[in-house]
Amino acid sequence: MTCPNCGCPVVSFPIPASVSDCLPDDRPGAVLCTQCLRVAPTDDPPDDYPDFARASDAFPADGETAAVLACLLALVDRLALHRADADAVAGVAERHGVDVLLFLDRLAADTAVTPAVDVSRRRTQLAQLI
Ligand SMILES: [Zn+2]
């Protein structure tokens, strides 16, 4: 499976139950592009979390935590529409022990990816939100 945006490989993952209510799409899984980091819903995710390091080393080793952050990326892409949900998902990530803003900093600094969204700008907006 490849990314509809840039044609690069994607990783598929199940949506963690802790954030499923916060997403605009109710499908059980999503795919994350390993290059442009676009997230798209999928009907048929795997049972287990993939190795998100295939996309970026900025993701934590714990698969569920990484999946929560991937969901956050989906929301910050359209932050104006999804402020409350992005705030809620960032809160879940923080309860998993993640510094969300530090994660976005690392992602913005990772030269192995070319994010479709301006991660630094979204980080600034999210910092004002949370
Ligand atoms: Zn892509």
Side-chain angles (χ1 to χ4, degrees):
M1 193 172 181
T2 57
C3 171
N5 184 49
C6 74
C8 288
V10 297
V11 290
S12 312
F13 59 97
I15 301 294
S18 55
V19 297
S20 60
D21 288 346
C22 304
L23 300 179
D25 194 287
D26 61 6
R27 275 175 274 182
V31 295
L32 169 74
C33 177
T34 57
Q35 185 61 40
C36 74
L37 305 178
R38 282 252 185 219
V39 179
T42 180
D43 288 317
D44 189 25
D47 291 333
D48 296 320
Y49 295 105
D51 180 6
F52 283 89
R54 284 171 55 200
S56 170
D57 291 336
F59 284 98
D62 178 68
E64 183 180 346
T65 307
V68 169
L69 289 168
C71 292
L72 181 65
L73 287 180
L75 293 170
V76 297
D77 192 13
R78 292 175 292 268
L79 194 56
L81 279 177
H82 300 302
R83 272 179 177 273
D85 288 330
D87 186 30
V89 173
V92 172
E94 282 172 357
R95 284 196 291 282
H96 280 266
V98 173
D99 182 327
V100 172
L101 299 177
L102 185 62
F103 163 71
L104 293 175
D105 281 341
R106 286 188 183 145
L107 205 55
D110 186 347
T111 54
V113 291
T114 48
V117 299
D118 184 338
V119 174
S120 298
R121 192 163 147 257
R122 297 307 185 195
R123 180 215 183 276
T124 304
Q125 291 173 333
L126 198 64
Q128 291 162 355
L129 184 68
I130 59 180

